[in-house]
C-alpha cells in the first residue's frame, strides 16, 4: 500500500512538473504572438500615417525610420505615430511629396493633406429644421 502511495506521489509530482513546463511554454508563445500582433498594428499605423502625409512609398519611410520606441497603449492605440512620421518628414523630405496649399491660395485645384476622420457631429433636435427632425424621428422609430 505504501508503494502505491509513493508511486502516486511520484506520478503527481511528474504531472505537476509537466504542467508547469507546459504553462511556461504557452505563456512564452502567447507573449511572442502578442509582440507579433503589436508589431503588425504599429507597422500598419505608421504606413497609413506616412501615406496620409504624402509619402511616395510608405514602406520605405517605415523601413528607414527608428520605430522601436513606438508602442501600443493599453487601449490598443498607437501613440506618437504622427509625430514620428512628422520627424521623418523633416529629416528625409525627399521621401515625401511637397505639401500643397489649398487651391484658393496657390491657384491650383490640388488640395492639401487628407483630413483625419473625426466623430460625426451630434444631432441637436432643437437646432434642426422640421424636415431633418422628422427624418431623424422616423429613422429612430424604424430602429436604425
Amino acid at each position: 500500500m505504501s508503494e502505491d502511495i509513493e508511486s502516486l506521489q511520484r506520478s503527481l509530482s511528474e504531472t505537476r512538473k509537466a504542467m508547469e513546463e507546459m504553462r511556461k511554454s504557452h505563456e512564452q508563445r502567447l507573449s511572442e504572438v502578442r509582440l507579433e500582433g503589436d508589431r503588425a498594428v504599429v507597422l500598419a499605423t505608421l504606413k497609413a500615417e506616412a501615406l496620409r502625409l504624402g509619402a511616395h512609398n510608405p514602406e520605405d519611410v517605415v523601413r528607414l525610420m527608428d520605430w522601436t520606441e513606438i508602442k501600443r497603449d493599453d487601449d490598443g492605440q498607437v501613440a506618437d505615430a504622427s509625430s514620428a512620421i512628422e520627424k521623418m518628414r523633416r529629416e528625409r523630405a525627399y521621401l515625401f511629396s511637397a505639401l500643397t496649399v489649398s487651391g484658393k491660395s496657390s491657384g491650383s485645384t490640388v488640395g492639401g493633406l487628407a483630413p483625419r476622420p473625426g466623430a460625426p457631429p451630434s444631432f441637436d433636435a432643437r437646432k434642426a429644421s422640421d424636415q431633418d427632425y422628422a427624418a431623424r424621428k422616423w429613422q429612430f422609430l424604424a430602429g436604425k
Side-chain angles (χ1 to χ4, degrees):
M1 171 118 161
S2 67
E3 292 176 4
D4 291 338
I5 292 175
E6 289 176 14
S7 172
L8 285 174
Q9 286 177 342
R10 276 194 304 262
S11 175
L12 180 63
S13 98
E14 290 172 3
T15 304
R16 284 183 179 160
K17 185 186 289 186
M19 247 177 52
E20 185 64 25
E21 289 175 5
M22 285 175 53
R23 186 186 61 79
K24 286 180 183 178
S25 171
H26 286 253
E27 285 178 355
Q28 180 182 3
R29 183 61 187 137
L30 180 63
S31 173
E32 292 170 3
V33 168
R34 283 185 180 149
L35 285 174
E36 290 172 12
D38 286 348
R39 177 182 164 86
V41 169
V42 167
L43 184 65
T45 302
L46 289 173
K47 284 181 183 179
E49 190 66 23
L51 189 62
R52 189 185 75 79
L53 289 176
H56 297 296
N57 191 343
E59 290 84 16
D60 287 346
V61 172
V62 174
R63 195 176 303 130
L64 291 172
M65 68 184 292
D66 178 29
W67 54 281
T68 56
E69 297 177 7
I70 300 172
K71 305 285 185 212
R72 289 176 70 187
D73 59 10
D74 294 336
D75 297 333
Q77 301 297 322
V78 178
D80 301 329
S82 59
S83 61
I85 297 294
E86 278 291 337
K87 179 181 174 188
M88 193 66 180
R89 184 182 178 89
R90 286 189 304 273
E91 292 174 355
R92 299 182 183 206
Y94 61 89
L95 294 171
F96 295 85
S97 61
L99 278 178
T100 56
V101 287
S102 67
K104 180 178 178 183
S105 61
S106 70
S108 70
T109 57
V110 177
L113 298 174
R116 289 183 162 269
S122 60
F123 180 72
D124 188 359
R126 295 172 292 177
K127 295 179 182 177
S129 67
D130 292 337
Q131 189 178 17
D132 286 341
Y133 177 77
R136 289 287 183 120
K137 180 175 76 173
W138 284 110
Q139 285 177 348
F140 176 75
L141 292 174
K144 293 183 180 182

